[in-house]
Amino acid sequence: MNFLKRRIGLEQEFFIVDETGALTESADEFLQCCHEIAVENNRSPEYFVTEFVKSMVEINTPPCKSGMELAREYLQNLQIAVTAGKKMGLRLYPLSSYPLHIMPVIRDKLNYHIQARTVGYERFLHAGKCTGTHIHLEVSPGVISDRVAVSYNSTVAEREELLNIYNLATALDSALISLARACPFYEGQAIGLASHTIRYRGSEKFGWEGVYTHLQPVGGLMPYAHCVEGLVEQQFARFYAWLEAMDKAGVERHLFFDGGGSLLKSAWNPIRLNKLGTVEIRCIDSNYPSVILAVILLIENAARRVRYEKLKVRPAKGLQVFELDGQSLWVPDFEYLNGDLLYAAATEGVKHPKVKSYLDSILEFAIIEGSKEGKYLVEMREKLDNYTTIETEILQKFSPTVAELSQEEGLRLVRDACDKLEQELSLLDRKDVFIFPSSLSTSGSPN
């Protein structure tokens, strides 16, 4: 198996705002401008796409051979979007939730209406009020099947790679939630929680009202797969859970398939199999480029080590950190991962001692000695004691934390975030630059 050919990709969602910071529904016009500028610069326009609400867009990258290449592609496409915005008097707001009260306008497409009717329109609107970043880790071509989940024709080695990358991504869930926490305000309030996480996946156990609170098989974190057969069973169980939810909501099943639905398209989980041939990681807040690049680096290094050293990623009962033992990478068991650890990550975050220990073990595992990327990860580990997320940086400007964000304060927060995005882009958009430590800055501006 040639792991050198494994690629990595990215999707990031952004809100579109005008120069005052107010949300706008001009996504279609904005994207048309992006397409024109991309073509003028010999770039593909296909990486600038619509989202399900008219105030949001998605900027993607092509599949890349390395995190360094992905960083360059990401920054170039981001620069095109910022340029388009300046041309139109619009801006990209990069953080995970728009801080003020909004009422998203859903696009008139069958698949969106099916989702809204099934989970409930009010609940589904949470998905239009927060933005995320998705990282794609490629596995062997053809091993993932949209019809049977895992191809019958795949080899034992290909299946084992898929299993280990899927379990690694699952084990990273709370780390990625903690490290990328971005905007502390949701609907005008500082709720003290990771709003993107709780309002999207939700949780009956913790009382988090989100899109998939009552449909965890479809939108929550799924357990580790102990074997390929178990992974396949998990995909079909989720698929039927979605169809049954449609039945309960009075939505005819054929509409799901008429709208392009399929086995794998019934998944909105934080970690899912994608028919593109990737394990897709969907639990990351939308954030500034420096943070996104740091997350890319962490994920890529961890996945590379699992592949190259042919490690088996397996959960261990009672374990709360990553622990390497020979050819086995032992990770926290699912009950703890999706229970106490998830709760700590979504509440106290990196300040919680159990989250910090867990993060420290992941960073130690991901360090590749002697590499430039390894040097950056060492710096991150050394700075963990003083680590401040973007969310915390913003809250420090509103100390003591305001109970309700005023319109003026909210718009200023949005404009400041747009400014910082553009400032970071001007520093990062250089040949072979992969700025990592800037994501650890406790100042209000990039290093």
Side-chain angles (χ1 to χ4, degrees), residues 10-15 74 78 92-97 131-134 176-184 196 284-295 387-394 417 420-421 424 428 438-439:
L10 175 145
E11 307 168 29
Q12 185 175 358
E13 299 160 347
F14 295 87
F15 290 101
Y74 167 64
L78 196 52
L92 290 179
Y93 170 70
L95 302 185
S96 54
S97 59
T131 54
T133 303
H134 304 172
L176 301 176
I177 290 170
S178 301
L179 291 170
R181 285 176 62 160
C183 183
H196 173 231
I284 307 160
D285 276 11
S286 191
N287 211 316
Y288 296 118
S290 59
V291 177
I292 300 305
L293 296 181
V295 167
Y387 183 78
T388 303
T389 63
I390 299 301
E391 178 187 70
T392 302
E393 285 184 11
I394 292 172
K420 183 170 180 177
L421 166 66
E424 283 202 355
L428 291 166
S438 62
S439 66

Side-chain angles (χ1 to χ4, degrees), residues 8 28 49 81 101 103 107 157 220 232-233 260 271 282 293-294 309 335 363 371 418 423:
I8 183 171
D28 290 339
V49 298
H101 295 280
M103 183 56 67
R107 292 182 179 277
V232 171
E233 289 174 3
I271 309 298
R282 298 163 43 85
L293 296 181
E309 297 181 27
E335 182 180 356
L363 291 167
S371 68
C418 295
Q423 290 165 5

Side-chain angles (χ1 to χ4, degrees), residues 307-324:
R307 289 184 180 119
Y308 281 29
E309 297 181 27
K310 298 181 179 179
L311 301 176
K312 294 184 181 297
V313 183
R314 299 292 185 267
K317 189 70 175 177
L319 188 64
Q320 298 183 357
V321 296
F322 276 37
E323 193 171 286
L324 185 62

Side-chain angles (χ1 to χ4, degrees), residues 47-118:
Y47 301 116
F48 306 86
V49 298
T50 60
E51 258 298 330
F52 84 99
V53 293
K54 295 183 178 181
S55 52
M56 194 184 295
V57 298
E58 186 176 276
I59 298 175
N60 301 337
T61 70
C64 298
K65 296 178 182 178
S66 69
M68 296 288 283
E69 180 185 339
L70 179 60
R72 289 192 292 269
E73 292 288 342
Y74 167 64
L75 294 173
Q76 287 181 54
N77 284 349
L78 196 52
Q79 183 61 65
I80 287 172
V82 168
T83 301
K86 289 180 178 179
K87 189 174 181 180
M88 299 182 65
L90 300 173
R91 307 186 78 184
L92 290 179
Y93 170 70
L95 302 185
S96 54
S97 59
Y98 189 78
L100 296 168
H101 295 280
I102 58 174
M103 183 56 67
V105 177
I106 300 175
R107 292 182 179 277
D108 188 17
K109 289 190 176 181
L110 179 59
N111 57 327
Y112 299 144
H113 288 301
I114 290 168
Q115 292 175 58
R117 287 177 60 192
T118 302

Side-chain angles (χ1 to χ4, degrees), residues 171-183 193-194 196-197 201 283-285 287 291 295 298 337 340-360 362 380 384 387-392 439-440:
L172 290 173
D173 180 63
S174 287
L176 301 176
I177 290 170
S178 301
L179 291 170
R181 285 176 62 160
C183 183
L193 299 165
H196 173 231
T197 299
R201 75 169 75 176
C283 57
I284 307 160
D285 276 11
N287 211 316
V291 177
V295 167
L298 182 65
L337 179 75
D340 290 349
L341 189 58
L342 172 61
Y343 184 80
T347 53
E348 293 183 58
V350 294
K351 300 302 181 185
H352 193 288
K354 289 185 177 180
V355 173
K356 183 181 179 299
S357 297
Y358 160 72
L359 288 172
D360 217 355
I362 292 172
M380 181 175 187
L384 262 178
Y387 183 78
T388 303
T389 63
I390 299 301
E391 178 187 70
T392 302
S439 66
L440 303 174

Side-chain angles (χ1 to χ4, degrees), residues 26 129 156 250 358 436:
S26 305
K129 298 178 182 180
V156 172
Y358 160 72
F436 180 74

Side-chain angles (χ1 to χ4, degrees), residues 173-367:
D173 180 63
S174 287
L176 301 176
I177 290 170
S178 301
L179 291 170
R181 285 176 62 160
C183 183
F185 293 99
Y186 188 85
E187 290 284 274
Q189 296 183 325
I191 59 178
L193 299 165
S195 57
H196 173 231
T197 299
I198 69 165
R199 295 304 183 208
Y200 192 80
R201 75 169 75 176
S203 169
E204 286 185 306
K205 178 179 180 180
F206 300 130
W208 297 339
E209 284 300 320
V211 180
Y212 300 106
T213 296
H214 306 299
L215 275 173
Q216 287 296 289
V218 172
L221 187 68
M222 289 292 94
Y224 298 106
H226 295 278
C227 60
V228 171
E229 290 77 13
L231 180 60
V232 171
E233 289 174 3
Q234 188 183 96
Q235 306 307 304
F236 278 95
R238 184 209 58 250
F239 175 62
Y240 288 118
W242 176 246
L243 294 181
E244 289 167 7
M246 289 179 59
D247 292 343
K248 187 176 180 180
V251 182
E252 296 179 4
R253 290 189 178 192
H254 75 85
L255 294 174
F256 175 62
F257 300 103
D258 292 346
S262 63
L263 172 64
L264 299 184
K265 283 193 174 182
S266 61
W268 295 274
N269 310 91
I271 309 298
R272 71 178 183 184
L273 303 184
N274 191 298
K275 70 175 185 178
L276 294 173
T278 65
V279 173
E280 183 182 357
I281 300 173
R282 298 163 43 85
C283 57
I284 307 160
D285 276 11
S286 191
N287 211 316
Y288 296 118
S290 59
V291 177
I292 300 305
L293 296 181
V295 167
I296 291 169
L297 178 61
L298 182 65
I299 293 172
E300 184 199 26
N301 276 22
R304 182 188 302 163
R305 188 168 184 191
V306 165
R307 289 184 180 119
Y308 281 29
E309 297 181 27
K310 298 181 179 179
L311 301 176
K312 294 184 181 297
V313 183
R314 299 292 185 267
K317 189 70 175 177
L319 188 64
Q320 298 183 357
V321 296
F322 276 37
E323 193 171 286
L324 185 62
D325 181 18
Q327 292 298 112
S328 296
L329 175 61
W330 298 103
V331 295
D333 67 88
F334 187 74
E335 182 180 356
Y336 175 70
L337 179 75
N338 200 46
D340 290 349
L341 189 58
L342 172 61
Y343 184 80
T347 53
E348 293 183 58
V350 294
K351 300 302 181 185
H352 193 288
K354 289 185 177 180
V355 173
K356 183 181 179 299
S357 297
Y358 160 72
L359 288 172
D360 217 355
S361 70
I362 292 172
L363 291 167
E364 183 174 353
F365 171 75
I367 290 171

